[in-house]
Amino acid sequence: MNENRTETTIGLVLSAGGFSGAAHHSGVIDAIFRTTGWDSRLSDVIVGTSAGSLTAISLRAGISPSDLASYYTDDSMSTEGQQIVNRVTTSLKMPEPGLSASSKIPSKPTLLLKELFLGGRPRPMVAITGLLPLGEADGSSFAERTSQIHPELWPDKPTWLCAVDLDTGKRAVFGRDDIKTDVGSAVQASSAIPGRFSPTNINGKRYVDGGVHSVTNSDLLAALQLDLVIISSSSTLVASQEKNSLSVAWNSRTLHKEIEQIRSNGTEVLVFEPTVSDLQARNKLEPTKDAAKEIFQMSQTSAFARLAKPQSNKARSLLEEAILQI
């Protein structure tokens, strides 16, 4: 534990990941709860990106780890959880996989030039985003469903949802930056996959998926010097494992640099990533509920194994300390 602090502080990072992201996060969150008794709703700060942004808001709305898992296990939800879910009346509208643009004109080609000539850490996805045409799929159902889950403007506890300003290429962190918005618009913006969904307009600015900057954006927690940061990352692999695609390799390398940055400030980090076999199996699945159940089970099993390793002992001790302080 960091010095001069009486309470154990814990941050939770929920990555981007599309269809498999929510199932992965639910498996991780449920495994942590079953193993240690620590409830992710107690997180001192949550960082959510794309798929992770909705999970973040679901936790802040009061949906428990067990209730999140019930979608994949077919168990009954608690009365409290069911009341929250019953507020959702808008159907989820998802476009067909792939690009859904009506034009071939690049959305912001100057982003490529900025990434090439302005220096700093290279962000290939930002450059690619500028070359993609504007998506035309409507993501408003994300906003509506999120606002129905969490009717208040914003959670009381720190909740940071990540997107990227399409015109500048800069990361935007709703809930931290001085950007006035609501949870629904923030989740829609964080989930606006370039070339597929239309950018989300907030206060006259256009925002796209936060995964364009980083699939986890976990570096946001480095400066907070928390006792523990838990990272649920659905599309990266541990450093010792073989990378099976350029995107996985890049995302993994970025995450590992973020982890080093967090640890450099004395914070313990507990990371949950799919195994190589998990990731390969996911890539073969169609986006169906049965497939989501399979991803949940794989994620949960891998998380149980991760928590059982000696390297997780310190993190588990911190989680147990946090429970005793409730």
Side-chain angles (χ1 to χ4, degrees):
M1 186 184 301
N2 290 341
E3 296 180 358
N4 303 320
R5 182 181 290 137
T6 57
E7 293 187 358
T8 304
T9 52
I10 300 174
L12 176 64
V13 176
L14 302 169
S15 76
F19 159 70
S20 64
H24 175 89
H25 298 324
S26 293
V28 168
I29 288 168
D30 189 55
I32 293 173
F33 180 69
R34 289 176 181 271
T35 302
T36 69
W38 184 77
D39 189 325
S40 296
R41 292 178 293 181
L42 300 175
S43 303
D44 292 281
V45 57
I46 302 179
V47 175
T49 302
S50 198
S53 65
L54 179 55
T55 303
I57 293 301
S58 297
L59 290 169
R60 289 309 198 205
I63 299 179
S64 70
S66 298
D67 284 338
L68 284 175
S70 68
Y71 176 81
Y72 307 98
T73 62
D74 293 326
D75 293 331
S76 298
M77 296 187 78
S78 67
T79 301
E80 178 189 20
Q82 193 62 57
Q83 288 175 342
I84 296 172
V85 170
N86 286 345
R87 296 200 293 254
V88 180
T89 58
T90 299
S91 299
L92 183 62
K93 298 177 182 177
M94 290 293 292
E96 293 296 320
L99 299 181
S100 61
S102 59
S103 170
K104 295 183 179 180
I105 300 174
S107 59
K108 195 69 177 180
T110 54
L111 290 184
L112 173 62
L113 300 177
K114 288 181 179 180
E115 290 303 307
L116 287 176
F117 300 114
L118 291 186
R121 181 177 68 85
R123 298 176 301 162
M125 282 306 300
V126 173
I128 292 171
T129 295
L131 296 178
L132 290 174
L134 286 177
E136 63 176 7
D138 180 12
S140 61
S141 64
F142 290 122
E144 293 172 9
R145 290 169 63 88
T146 302
S147 295
Q148 289 161 1
I149 290 172
H150 192 289
E152 293 78 19
L153 191 67
W154 204 264
D156 292 332
K157 299 187 74 174
T159 308
W160 298 350
L161 308 184
C162 302
V164 168
D165 185 323
L166 179 59
D167 294 305
T168 66
K170 294 181 179 179
R171 175 170 62 187
V173 185
F174 303 116
R176 186 202 68 167
D177 298 347
D178 186 19
I179 305 173
K180 292 183 179 180
T181 190
D182 58 272
V183 292
S185 298
V187 168
Q188 181 182 346
S190 185
S191 307
I193 301 172
R196 190 175 180 191
F197 287 97
S198 300
T200 302
N201 190 308
I202 298 176
N203 303 325
K205 293 186 177 182
R206 302 182 300 168
Y207 296 97
V208 294
D209 197 306
V212 168
H213 178 85
S214 162
V215 292
T216 58
N217 291 288
S218 56
D219 61 300
L220 291 170
L221 298 184
L224 300 186
Q225 296 185 307
L226 302 167
D227 291 300
L228 173 65
V229 168
I230 300 169
I231 302 173
S232 175
S233 179
S234 70
S235 54
T236 58
L237 292 170
V238 296
S240 61
Q241 293 180 323
E242 180 182 357
K243 311 301 186 295
N244 59 0
S245 74
L246 287 175
S247 63
V248 171
W250 180 264
N251 291 335
S252 300
R253 191 178 303 115
T254 300
L255 173 57
H256 299 146
K257 289 180 179 178
E258 293 174 353
I259 291 170
E260 290 175 2
Q261 187 177 350
I262 297 169
R263 285 178 172 156
S264 70
N265 288 321
T267 298
E268 183 70 14
V269 181
L270 181 60
V271 187
F272 297 92
E273 300 171 285
T275 64
V276 171
S277 58
D278 285 348
L279 207 55
Q280 290 173 342
R282 291 180 189 185
N283 292 337
K284 298 176 183 178
L285 297 174
E286 297 294 328
T288 64
K289 185 171 182 178
D290 286 340
K293 290 180 179 180
E294 188 173 345
I295 293 168
F296 169 85
Q297 291 168 351
M298 288 189 289
S299 172
Q300 185 190 55
T301 299
S302 294
F304 280 138
R306 177 73 176 87
L307 288 163
K309 291 182 177 180
Q311 299 94 315
S312 301
N313 287 348
K314 183 176 181 180
R316 290 184 61 170
S317 296
L318 289 168
L319 290 169
E320 291 167 3
E321 287 180 16
I323 294 170
L324 292 174
Q325 293 166 2
I326 298 173

